[in-house]
Amino acid sequence: MSVSLQFCGATHTVTGSCYLFKTAKGSFLVDCGLYQGPKTLKALNYSAFPFRPASLDAVLLTHAHIDHSGLLPKLVRDGFDGTIFATRGTRDLCSYMLPDAGSIQESEVLALNRRNVSRGRDAVEPIYTKTDAVVTLDSFRPVDYESWIEVIPGVRARYWNAGHLLGSASIEIEFAGEGKDGAPLRVLASGDLGPDAKLLQPDPEAPTGFDYVICESTYGDTDRPATTPEQRRARLAGEVREAAAQQGALLIPAFAVERTQELIVDLIQLMERGEVPKAPVFLDSPLAIRATEVFRRHAADLDGGVDVERLLNSPQLRFTETVDESKSIARLNGFHIIIAASGMCDAGRIRHHLKRWLCRRHGTVLLVGYQAHGTLGRFLEEGAKAVRIQGEEIKVAARIRWIDDYSGHADGPELARWLSARRPISRGVFLTHGEEAAIAGMVARLADGVVPAAKLFTPVLDELFELTTPEPAVLDGGHRRRLEPQAVVELDWHNDMSRLMLDISERIDAAADDRARSVIIRRLRRALEAEAGN
């Protein structure tokens, strides 16, 4: 018999969580997420899966975030007709998030095709449509925490609260008779793990004693200072007061689900206490508005100490669902707060607000979560002086601020404690879902007494392992890797091109006079002509 595991996503800087398990009796995925970041990675969303969707029997979904669920509609459209197992909270969130993702893709492709026509380029199709996403929802089957379900013959699974998001789960998987001496082979997929001080979620849970653990490493190299809800609100209050003093907009790019609700709860409480000036708070995200209703329906699953419903009904909070309502915000003067998706600034309405406010010194952008490699949010976090949004160069004059108190991910010490509590882990730990530095930091942290270094593995995209051997064995499998590791560690040529254009523009602007500018342009033209002659 054989149990193989292929890492089709969430490896090193590759986003898009997706793990393929195969046995003699069937195959299934854990997650099927959308790739985010540089265009080289985003191109994977349009290409064929590294497996045949029609051959799959099931998907075990850890949670609703798009980097874990966002390619499910494409999977169904391409032939998958099995069951998608998910908690009720995850299913309800996906019922809004997936159609919203389809709508965003349709609208962005429409805008891209208008530009392509003017450039003489071919039209492109969306990865999937809103209709595709709605059809996918019929494949969902709700599961309860801590209850066994049969996935395929000989394989069962059990969901445990991961403390990351409403409905989020770590998934325990057993392969009957595939372990040592005929015992079950036991695998735990962590999903995304929440931090100890999460506002609306309990601490992560899971059993002990596994052959393998697949563990996320998003903040594996980070050790956050200990915090409390009051300290978190105090830091947020300081940022809000500084933004208010500028008398412009405070833009908060927020992940529409849970991060947004946490921010609103704290902002409204601070205004009620008089710790920050009262100001309109615009929730400019139809998805976040609908997700708020899901949170209300699942209030019993959240922290009972927070009056979510009252705070989310504050008169300071304004919902802007339509495009016209969103555009009307631009007519405002003075201090106001705009919370809009996406959290990494790579899609959605936040990009339109950034185009308006990034060039203004009295504007403030507050980043409150992880910014993936190659995203607009990451460039802003790293101090870019200019960025390109929808093909237009925007100078960055606004204040760019960052706080990590609202992260939905455990930091390095919390991850290490969670893994330590899962011991004994007899065969190995696969470290995934993190950039190179984060995974390297996690290896160093765990090898110091938690898990022996020889049992730590850092798979690359599409790498295939046999799990029934005494230790995981790398298999060739006859498959082709879609990207070589180095292709995703560095920024791709699209990013390099964008930066070059911005650097050229900056150098020309800084030139002493028109003659100096002409010299720069002539030198660039000669370099291009020399390259064309090679």
Side-chain angles (χ1 to χ4, degrees):
M1 299 293 285
S2 172
V3 177
S4 66
L5 167 59
Q6 185 175 357
F7 289 87
C8 304
T11 58
H12 292 272
T13 55
V14 177
T15 54
S17 178
C18 185
Y19 312 125
L20 171 63
F21 288 89
K22 285 186 177 181
T23 76
K25 296 182 179 180
S27 60
F28 62 93
L29 297 180
V30 172
D31 290 342
C32 190
L34 196 75
Y35 299 99
Q36 299 169 310
K39 288 187 178 180
T40 298
L41 286 185
K42 289 180 179 177
L44 296 178
N45 295 319
Y46 293 88
S47 61
F49 288 106
F51 47 80
R52 194 165 61 87
S55 69
L56 298 173
D57 298 286
V59 177
L60 304 178
L61 184 58
T62 61
H63 65 287
H65 278 149
I66 290 299
D67 62 327
H68 292 255
S69 70
L71 283 185
L72 287 171
K74 179 183 175 183
L75 190 76
V76 171
R77 189 196 63 194
D78 288 0
F80 172 72
D81 63 357
T83 301
I84 301 170
F85 295 97
T87 64
R88 286 170 173 79
T90 294
R91 179 199 61 183
D92 288 356
L93 288 173
C94 282
S95 71
Y96 294 115
M97 294 179 72
L98 294 179
D100 180 76
S103 293
I104 288 175
Q105 288 162 34
E106 288 183 86
S107 62
E108 293 199 338
V109 162
L110 187 64
L112 174 61
N113 283 337
R114 283 198 293 266
R115 296 197 297 273
N116 283 345
V117 168
S118 65
R119 297 168 181 172
R121 297 177 182 173
D122 293 336
V124 298
E125 295 291 328
I127 303 165
Y128 57 84
T129 66
K130 180 178 180 180
T131 299
D132 293 328
V134 171
V135 169
T136 299
L137 299 174
D138 292 335
S139 300
F140 275 71
R141 174 183 155 189
V143 300
D144 296 321
Y145 285 120
E146 303 181 33
S147 298
W148 288 107
I149 58 169
E150 183 182 64
V151 182
I152 58 176
V155 179
R156 64 176 186 166
R158 186 163 54 164
Y159 283 53
W160 297 85
N161 198 317
H164 170 69
L165 172 74
L166 176 66
S168 65
S170 299
I171 303 178
E172 175 187 7
I173 308 167
E174 283 192 354
F175 300 84
E178 300 292 349
K180 185 177 180 181
D181 299 327
L185 182 76
R186 288 172 46 76
V187 179
L188 179 66
S190 72
D192 287 355
L193 298 167
D196 292 344
K198 194 78 164 65
L199 176 61
L200 300 177
Q201 295 295 327
D203 290 341
E205 299 175 317
T208 62
F210 290 93
D211 293 287
Y212 297 100
V213 175
I214 304 168
C215 184
E216 70 121 318
S217 311
T218 308
Y219 285 105
D221 61 339
T222 301
D223 189 349
R224 297 191 195 98
T227 190
T228 66
E230 285 303 319
Q231 289 172 329
R232 181 190 65 242
R233 279 189 286 269
R235 281 188 281 270
L236 178 62
E239 296 294 346
V240 173
R241 287 193 295 267
E242 287 187 19
Q246 304 299 313
Q247 286 301 302
L250 169 59
L251 306 184
I252 307 180
F255 300 89
V257 180
E258 193 139 318
R259 196 79 49 86
T260 290
Q261 288 76 25
E262 290 175 335
L263 280 163
I264 291 171
V265 164
D266 278 354
L267 283 168
I268 299 303
Q269 285 186 333
L270 290 170
M271 290 181 187
E272 288 180 347
R273 296 176 183 179
E275 296 180 36
V276 300
K278 286 191 174 181
V281 179
F282 293 94
L283 181 52
D284 191 23
S285 168
L287 173 59
I289 293 167
R290 288 168 177 79
T292 299
E293 294 303 318
V294 176
F295 273 72
R296 287 171 175 159
R297 291 203 300 270
H298 291 270
D301 298 329
L302 303 175
D303 183 348
V306 180
D307 190 350
V308 174
E309 186 163 359
R310 182 184 67 81
L311 293 168
L312 293 179
N313 280 307
S314 167
Q316 299 301 133
L317 184 60
R318 319 282 174 83
F319 295 124
T320 53
E321 289 208 46
T322 69
V323 172
D324 286 341
E325 288 171 337
S326 177
K327 289 179 178 178
S328 70
I329 301 174
R331 295 197 290 269
L332 283 181
N333 294 313
F335 176 57
H336 56 286
I337 300 172
I338 304 171
I339 302 174
S342 71
M344 298 183 194
C345 308
D346 255 17
R349 293 181 179 179
I350 190 63
R351 294 172 72 86
H352 299 283
H353 297 298
L354 289 169
K355 284 182 72 172
R356 172 174 167 77
W357 282 101
L358 275 179
C359 60
R360 303 180 178 209
R361 295 189 180 279
H362 58 296
T364 302
V365 178
L366 179 61
L367 303 172
V368 294
Y370 178 72
Q371 305 299 314
H373 187 70
T375 61
L376 175 58
R378 182 65 162 263
F379 291 132
L380 293 174
E381 181 183 314
E382 293 176 344
K385 293 184 172 59
V387 294
R388 295 182 68 83
I389 300 177
Q390 296 170 338
E392 181 179 343
E393 180 183 333
I394 309 292
K395 300 289 186 182
V396 179
R399 298 168 64 251
I400 309 299
R401 304 290 297 165
W402 181 81
I403 56 175
D404 195 31
D405 296 286
Y406 292 88
S407 174
H409 289 269
D411 67 2
E414 290 166 335
L415 289 170
R417 287 197 297 272
W418 181 87
L419 264 174
S420 180
R422 309 285 76 80
R423 295 183 298 183
I425 303 169
S426 62
R427 301 192 186 186
V429 173
F430 293 104
L431 296 175
T432 64
H433 205 293
E435 296 183 8
E436 277 204 311
I439 290 179
M442 199 68 197
V443 168
R445 195 184 302 274
L446 295 175
D448 188 21
V450 179
V451 179
K455 292 186 177 181
L456 295 174
F457 302 89
T458 58
V460 297
L461 184 66
D462 294 331
E463 195 164 22
L464 182 66
F465 292 85
E466 170 60 45
L467 300 185
T468 55
T469 48
E471 61 181 39
V474 179
L475 301 174
D476 177 14
H479 66 284
R480 181 180 62 84
R481 287 183 183 168
R482 289 167 291 168
L483 291 175
E484 291 302 316
Q486 63 269 21
V488 293
V489 171
E490 301 296 334
L491 295 177
D492 64 13
W493 73 268
H494 299 277
N495 297 125
D496 287 340
M497 179 67 177
S498 181
R499 284 189 168 182
L500 175 62
M501 293 174 68
L502 292 171
D503 288 344
I504 291 171
S505 179
E506 182 178 1
R507 186 67 61 88
I508 290 174
D509 286 346
D513 51 34
D514 286 350
R515 182 175 179 277
R517 295 183 183 97
S518 295
V519 169
I520 294 171
I521 292 169
R522 283 199 302 273
R523 288 174 178 170
L524 288 170
R525 188 173 297 281
R526 282 199 297 269
L528 288 172
E529 290 170 349
E531 177 63 27
N534 290 337

